[in-house]
């Protein structure tokens, strides 16, 4: 007598069978970690569930899967569930298995198989397991090949998009989880290049493509400037937030938000959403007094902060992050233990070489600013220099929460922007509000802090702005 799992097709037919042994059987999407591999289901996690022998029977345990495991419709949550003959197991609501006790006369010869790909004899299965085609790598290689073709054809924008899509595919499927984040793109190109087998160094081609695209955009910018006003005067807002009336406030704020984004070296959306501008105005209303007091308090600190940020090749205007974190207070303390003008938690402070014993260097304006600059520089290496807003978001929610949000994108590299995550509602509301708060403070700091009367009239919120 033995036990087995039977995979059921959409029509209820038996698609495949695998015999269970005393060894634990891990079921998942990752061939490196799972014994029973489900490659074609996006709802099955890399290590989804495990079936193991206990006493004279078997039990199933969920391994922290994203979409859950059920037995006969009941969820397998924190504790293992004992299996009985005839139990139906569902993985992620997508793949269905039947647990059976195989009796004498029905014993099937030793079979090992991969779910959704059929059965084979044990020896042949293991050979096939080592030599089978990898559909993820094959698709990534096709995308990279298209990138090489676009590069040769002089289309760097398409080439970069294809290379990023190939890397994004590996990232989404967990094929880069073992890689340090600052070398994600390089490692992705190396691995895809091995699959492509053309001898082309994809990392070199990607760097050339990026350089060509930057030159192309620089030329286009110079051409635009030659057709308009001299450099520096074309985009600078001509209005001041502390001087315009309520009717013109929305338009003026929009100009200053766009200016701040350009100063942060970000490519703002062609048309900033009306609700986004309205949210920034409401934030200015809600923390009006805090912004004003903080700007005044930071006058002596800000020049130093700009210098330290720019040493790390970061825009100086990131100092407004310290404004919204602490109001530029050197000894600001949060209820969760964050401390100093940049509100470092103890663990993060140690990671960036701040001594938190004795005088606590989190309160040292220069050293803490250097640590903040290094933190943001590393986030830009992870997220890409073209999306500083994601780095700012990570300052609030943590880098792993941003990575989790990126994983939800169909193409996490080419779609990797703050705007996309907001539009798809993949970021927590608090994190969206954090970036809004930063832009509210920065727009007021650069364009002038409007009066409460102007804000209340523009928002039709009489008596609701805070002094």
């Amino acid at each position: 007598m033995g036990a087995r799992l039977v995979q059921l097709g959409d029509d209820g037919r038996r698609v495949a069978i695998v015999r269970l042994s005393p060894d634990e059987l891990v079921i998942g999407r990752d061939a490196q970690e799972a014994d029973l591999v489900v490659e074609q289901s996006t709802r099955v996690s890399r290590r989804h569930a495990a079936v193991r022998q206990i006493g004279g029977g078997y039990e199933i345990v969920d391994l922290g899967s994203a979409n859950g495991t059920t037995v006969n419709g009941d969820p397998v949550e924190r504790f293992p569930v004992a299996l009985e003959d005839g139990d139906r197991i569902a993985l992620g609501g997508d793949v269905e298995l039947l647990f059976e006790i195989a009796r004498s006369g029905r014993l099937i010869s030793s079979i090992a198989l991969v779910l959704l790909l059929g059965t084979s004899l044990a020896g042949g299965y293991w050979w096939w397991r080592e030599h089978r085609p990898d559909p993820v790598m094959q698709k990534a290689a096709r995308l990279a090949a298209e990138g090489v073709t676009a590069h040769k054809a002089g289309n760097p924008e398409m080439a970069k998009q294809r290379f990023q899509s190939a890397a994004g595919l590996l990232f989404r499927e967990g094929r880069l989880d073992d890689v340090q984040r600052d070398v994600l793109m390089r490692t992705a190109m190396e691995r895809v290049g091995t699959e492509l087998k053309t001898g082309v160094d994809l990392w070199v081609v990607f760097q050339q493509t990026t350089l060509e695209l930057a030159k192309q955009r620089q030329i286009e910018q110079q051409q635009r400037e030659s057709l308009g006003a001299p450099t520096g005067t074309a985009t600078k807002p001509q209005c001041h937030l502390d001087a315009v009336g309520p009717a013109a406030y929305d338009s003026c704020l929009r100009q200053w938000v766009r200016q701040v984004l350009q100063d942060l070296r970000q490519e703002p959306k062609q048309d900033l959403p009306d609700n986004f501008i309205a949210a920034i105005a409401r934030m200015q209303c809600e923390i009006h007094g805090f912004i004003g007091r903080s700007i005044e308090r930071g006058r002596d600190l800000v020049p130093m902060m700009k210098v330290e940020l720019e040493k790390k090749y970061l825009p100086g205007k990131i100092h407004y992050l310290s404004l919204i974190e602490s109001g530029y207070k050197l000894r600001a303390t949060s209820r969760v233990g964050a401390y100093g003008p940049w509100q470092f938690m103890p663990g993060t402070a140690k990671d960036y070489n701040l001594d938190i014993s004795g005088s606590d260097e989190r309160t040292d304006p220069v050293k803490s600013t250097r640590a903040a600059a290094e933190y943001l520089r590393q986030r830009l290496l992870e997220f890409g220099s073209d999306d500083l807003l994601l780095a700012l978001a990570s300052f609030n929610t943590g880098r792993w929460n941003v990575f989790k949000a990126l994983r939800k994108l169909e193409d996490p590299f080419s779609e990797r922007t703050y705007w996309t995550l907001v539009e798809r509602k993949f970021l927590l509301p608090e994190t969206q509000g954090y970036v809004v708060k930063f832009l509210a403070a920065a727009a007021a700091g650069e364009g002038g802090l409007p009066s409460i009367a102007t804000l209340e009239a523009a928002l039709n919120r009489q008596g609701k702005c805070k002094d």
Side-chain angles (χ1 to χ4, degrees):
M1 181 181 295
R4 65 194 183 196
L5 291 177
V6 181
Q7 183 209 343
L8 301 177
D10 294 338
D11 56 1
R13 290 187 304 128
R14 295 169 178 247
V15 176
I17 301 172
V18 61
R19 292 184 62 188
L20 297 174
S21 71
D23 297 328
E24 180 179 78
L25 181 80
V26 176
I27 310 169
R29 201 176 69 239
D30 191 335
Q32 301 296 321
E33 299 189 25
D35 303 302
L36 202 56
V37 182
V38 181
E39 289 186 324
Q40 298 179 9
S41 173
T42 58
R43 293 186 59 79
V44 174
S45 298
R46 293 169 56 242
R47 284 171 51 87
H48 194 103
V51 175
R52 57 198 182 197
Q53 190 173 41
I54 180 167
Y58 285 85
E59 64 181 14
I60 186 168
V61 60
D62 187 89
L63 299 177
S65 67
N67 296 304
T69 304
T70 62
V71 175
N72 300 325
D74 296 324
V76 179
E77 297 179 325
R78 292 192 301 165
F79 303 105
V81 172
L83 293 172
E84 298 180 0
D85 188 26
D87 280 348
R88 286 179 175 259
I89 302 165
L91 306 177
D94 190 21
V95 174
E96 190 169 15
L97 305 171
L98 183 66
F99 176 78
E100 288 186 338
I101 302 298
R103 294 173 176 81
S104 59
R106 297 178 59 194
L107 189 62
I108 298 177
S109 60
S110 180
I111 297 175
L113 48 84
V114 173
L115 283 173
L116 303 178
L117 295 178
T119 63
S120 64
L121 294 175
Y125 166 73
W126 292 113
W127 180 92
W128 174 82
R129 175 98 178 247
E130 291 296 320
H131 298 85
R132 61 183 171 170
D134 185 334
V136 172
M137 292 302 297
Q138 286 181 327
K139 184 176 180 181
R142 286 197 298 272
L143 288 166
E146 293 173 7
V148 173
T149 301
H151 171 70
K152 292 179 179 178
N155 189 342
E157 187 166 0
M158 179 179 287
K160 183 178 180 181
Q161 189 274 333
R162 293 294 190 273
F163 290 135
Q164 288 180 329
S165 295
L169 178 62
L170 300 191
F171 177 74
R172 190 178 71 248
E173 295 296 327
R175 303 300 179 86
L176 297 173
D177 287 355
D178 60 327
V179 180
Q180 292 293 323
R181 300 299 172 179
D182 57 346
V183 291
L184 268 178
M185 194 66 194
R186 179 170 188 164
T187 305
M189 291 296 95
E190 290 172 350
R191 292 180 179 180
V192 175
T194 301
E195 177 71 20
L196 197 56
K197 299 175 183 176
T198 61
V200 176
D201 190 328
L202 293 182
W203 173 240
V204 171
V205 177
F206 175 75
Q207 289 179 301
Q208 292 172 347
T209 296
T210 303
L211 181 60
E212 290 166 5
L213 188 57
K215 290 179 179 178
Q216 187 180 92
R217 289 176 175 171
Q218 184 178 18
I219 292 171
E220 291 172 354
Q221 177 64 26
Q222 290 171 346
Q223 290 173 342
R224 285 195 295 269
E225 291 171 353
S226 68
L227 295 173
T231 303
T233 63
T235 60
K236 191 75 172 178
Q238 299 302 303
C239 62
H240 294 278
L241 295 174
D242 55 357
V244 298
Y249 190 76
D250 179 89
S251 173
C252 187
L253 177 60
R254 187 179 297 272
Q255 293 178 49
W256 277 105
V257 171
R258 183 172 291 278
Q259 180 66 51
V260 168
L261 291 172
Q262 290 174 342
D263 291 343
L264 293 176
R265 304 170 196 160
Q266 304 304 288
E267 187 67 32
K269 289 175 67 69
Q270 188 65 31
D271 294 307
L272 292 169
D274 291 341
N275 60 350
F276 184 68
I277 298 299
I280 292 173
R282 286 195 300 273
M283 183 64 72
Q284 289 180 336
C285 169
E286 292 167 7
I287 61 170
H288 184 276
F290 171 74
I291 292 176
R293 292 189 295 272
S294 298
I295 290 174
E296 188 61 34
R297 186 184 299 115
R299 293 195 186 281
D300 293 334
L301 280 177
V302 166
M304 175 276 296
M305 288 182 169
K306 287 182 176 179
V307 170
E308 294 300 329
L309 289 164
E310 288 167 359
K311 284 180 181 178
K312 293 291 185 180
Y313 306 102
L314 296 170
K317 287 185 174 60
I318 291 178
H319 71 81
Y320 288 109
L321 198 62
S322 177
L323 184 154
I324 67 170
E325 282 286 340
S326 67
Y328 298 123
K329 291 181 180 178
L330 297 186
R331 297 188 179 278
T333 306
S334 79
R335 64 178 183 275
V336 296
Y339 196 37
W342 293 93
Q343 289 291 279
F344 277 109
M345 293 292 287
T348 309
K350 291 178 182 177
D351 290 342
Y352 290 89
N353 300 315
L354 292 176
D355 185 355
I356 64 173
S357 62
S359 60
D360 198 328
E361 291 180 345
R362 289 180 290 177
T363 67
D364 185 303
V366 177
K367 291 181 178 179
S368 63
T369 299
R370 288 173 180 169
E374 180 59 23
Y375 174 92
L376 290 167
R377 188 187 74 85
Q378 290 186 12
R379 299 296 79 76
L380 290 178
L381 289 172
E382 295 173 341
F383 302 132
S385 59
D386 53 346
D387 210 326
L388 179 60
L389 296 184
L390 284 182
L392 298 184
S394 76
F395 213 87
N396 169 257
T397 192
R399 57 198 288 256
W400 291 114
N401 283 332
V402 174
F403 276 119
K404 288 178 184 177
L406 288 172
R407 280 191 185 278
K408 297 177 183 178
L409 295 173
E410 187 65 26
D411 193 342
F413 273 63
S414 63
E415 293 183 323
R416 185 201 64 242
T417 69
Y418 166 80
W419 307 105
T420 303
L421 294 181
V422 169
E423 288 167 0
R424 308 278 176 85
K425 298 181 179 180
F426 290 161
L427 284 177
L428 295 172
E430 176 190 347
T431 304
Q432 295 183 35
Y434 186 80
V435 175
V436 165
K437 190 175 183 180
F438 173 87
L439 292 172
E446 297 300 305
L449 182 65
S451 68
I452 287 181
T454 297
L455 275 172
E456 289 182 341
L459 292 167
N460 194 25
R461 299 181 68 181
Q462 281 72 21
K464 294 186 178 180
C465 290
K466 296 182 179 180
D467 192 358

